[in-house]
Amino acid sequence: MDYRAGSPEILREFLFYHETIKGHSKRTIDEYFLDLRTFFRFLKLHKNLAPQNAEFDEISIMDVDIDLVKSVTVTDVYEYLAFLSRDRPKHGNSRNTEYGLTAASRARKIAVIRSYYKYLTLKANMLSENPVADLDSPKLRKSLPRYLNLDESFKLLDNVAGMHKERDFCILTVFLNCGLRISELAGLDLTDLRADSIRVLGKGNKERIVYINDACAAAINDYLLVRKQIAPLDKKALFLSSRRTRITTSTIHSLVKKHLLAAGLDSTKYSSHKLRHTAATLMLKSGVDIRTLQELLGHEHLNTTQIYTHIENSSLRDAAMRSPLSGYKKEGAVKDD
């Protein structure tokens, strides 16, 4: 996808800014483009600027200019949210899909709109006032991340078998010990390996060093012995697919589900991202401090990392046990034999 061919100038400059100055990845820029294209299409439809009976996904945004952008009000954006929650397909390329995006999806689209108007106001100086400055985001339901406990993690690793067992075991071991994102793991090159660490390219093309323990080092070395016997089509990639090309994130998702099932674990409940949650939770339980965990996981903001502190907080457990009522038993209660 090349956003430059399908963007009006007023949008293209914003995308250029995030690509060149902010250093965001191509994937992030593409998501910004798609989200704002949807917003502009809605505006044209909402303000009767689109051809009658036009299919929503066929509405051109090439004529969007500063006048249309400036005319937007908070009410317009709330009506856009209503459209997203009621009428927007969850899966645009599927004929059989439900309608209405989740609160998380709507919140992401609102965040992009906020960022766009902030750019126009503070960076491009094209607006004197930000019309969406007081815009509220959809309220998100807070839920704790699911994760494997220690015994389940051992069980998963103990049951790795099959044609690519060394590769899959290595991938699962790195997931569970280092907490990499699936995209980071798929993107690893041979040159990213060090004696005691891995160079990881994270979100926003930010590099970080993740140190590996003995289990990871052994799993990587065992896999490299197997990889040497393969004539790779992608010589740079660390993890190869059965076609000898760089492994894809979808293949990693599939192999994680496969080995979860083989280990007798609920493959509908857990996923590759849950293995990242598992690594974070187990490290936190083992005494790793929250700031170190933030750096290891590559989180830009500490509050992203702090969700793991709610999973197992020994001080809260201790507080409950210290309550003066903790030993109370109802008078006349049946005693255990």
Side-chain angles (χ1 to χ4, degrees):
M1 178 190 302
D2 188 351
Y3 67 81
R4 292 169 294 185
S7 304
E9 185 177 356
I10 196 168
L11 172 56
R12 194 161 56 244
E13 291 173 353
F14 167 74
L15 299 175
F16 276 148
Y17 169 75
H18 278 275
E19 185 177 28
T20 58
I21 304 301
K22 302 294 284 185
H24 289 161
S25 68
K26 180 182 182 302
R27 180 177 177 181
T28 298
I29 301 302
D30 288 344
E31 288 176 350
Y32 284 179
F33 166 63
L34 293 174
D35 285 343
L36 288 170
R37 185 179 68 178
T38 301
F39 178 56
F40 289 149
R41 283 173 171 170
F42 170 81
L43 286 178
K44 290 189 65 175
L45 198 64
H46 181 60
K47 294 177 180 289
N48 298 315
L49 298 175
Q52 287 188 344
N53 302 320
E55 291 289 335
F56 184 85
D57 291 332
E58 299 299 323
I59 297 174
S60 172
I61 64 166
M62 294 303 293
D63 58 345
V64 171
D65 56 17
I66 187 62
D67 290 333
L68 177 61
V69 171
K70 191 184 295 185
S71 72
V72 170
T73 65
V74 171
T75 301
D76 290 330
V77 182
Y78 287 147
E79 291 189 20
Y80 174 59
L81 280 175
F83 163 76
L84 294 177
S85 64
R86 291 195 304 258
D87 303 320
R88 190 66 179 156
K90 287 184 178 179
H91 307 287
N93 296 324
S94 174
R95 293 181 180 178
N96 302 313
T97 185
E98 297 178 8
Y99 285 81
L101 301 186
T102 64
S105 294
R106 299 197 306 274
R108 189 197 74 190
K109 293 181 185 299
I110 291 302
V112 174
I113 292 172
R114 273 212 200 96
S115 177
Y116 179 61
Y117 275 92
K118 182 178 179 181
Y119 162 81
L120 292 176
T121 308
L122 301 179
K123 299 295 181 182
N125 296 317
M126 299 180 74
L127 297 176
S128 57
E129 293 184 6
N130 185 344
V132 300
D134 298 324
L135 183 64
D136 293 324
S137 286
K139 187 174 182 180
L140 301 179
R141 180 175 64 89
K142 292 185 178 181
S143 58
L144 299 179
R146 289 175 174 169
Y147 64 96
L148 301 176
N149 61 35
L150 188 57
D151 288 339
E152 289 170 332
S153 300
F154 284 138
K155 192 175 182 181
L156 175 60
L157 294 173
D158 287 341
N159 284 276
V160 177
M163 183 184 301
H164 302 290
K165 60 180 182 295
E166 291 86 3
R167 181 201 68 184
D168 294 359
F169 182 82
C170 183
I171 286 173
L172 293 174
T173 300
V174 173
F175 258 139
L176 291 169
N177 284 276
C178 301
L180 268 59
R181 299 180 178 93
I182 187 170
S183 57
E184 294 171 345
L185 197 145
L188 288 176
D189 290 333
L190 287 171
T191 53
D192 293 327
L193 299 179
R194 305 289 188 272
D196 61 348
S197 63
I198 303 173
R199 171 186 164 272
V200 177
L201 188 63
K203 283 188 174 182
N205 292 322
K206 293 180 180 178
E207 292 185 10
R208 70 182 188 279
I209 297 298
V210 174
Y211 289 92
I212 58 175
N213 54 28
D214 291 342
C216 283
I220 290 172
N221 288 334
D222 288 346
Y223 167 64
L224 289 178
L225 292 175
V226 174
R227 192 189 180 284
K228 284 181 181 179
Q229 302 171 25
I230 303 171
L233 296 178
D234 188 335
K235 296 182 179 180
K236 292 172 54 180
L238 173 58
F239 294 113
L240 299 172
S241 69
S242 56
R243 296 189 299 275
R244 296 179 290 137
T245 57
R246 182 182 297 276
I247 199 169
T248 62
T249 55
S250 60
T251 298
I252 296 176
H253 276 302
S254 296
L255 73 86
V256 169
K257 293 287 187 181
K258 168 189 166 185
H259 294 302
L260 283 166
L261 194 62
L265 300 169
D266 190 344
S267 60
T268 64
K269 184 179 178 182
Y270 301 108
S271 64
S272 52
H273 195 61
K274 299 300 184 289
L275 299 190
R276 175 170 158 87
H277 292 330
T278 298
T281 305
L282 293 180
M283 281 188 276
L284 197 63
K285 285 184 175 183
S286 299
V288 175
D289 69 85
I290 193 71
R291 287 287 184 183
T292 301
L293 189 61
Q294 177 192 3
E295 186 172 345
L296 191 148
L297 294 175
H299 287 159
E300 185 173 357
H301 303 291
L302 185 62
N303 59 359
T304 308
T305 316
Q306 284 176 330
I307 186 173
Y308 300 107
T309 64
H310 301 294
I311 297 172
E312 180 69 22
N313 192 318
S314 57
S315 61
L316 293 178
R317 186 187 299 273
D318 184 57
M321 295 301 105
R322 289 175 179 271
S323 168
L325 295 175
S326 65
Y328 172 78
K329 289 185 179 180
K330 187 177 180 180
E331 188 175 346
V334 178
K335 297 181 179 180
D336 296 333
D337 291 334

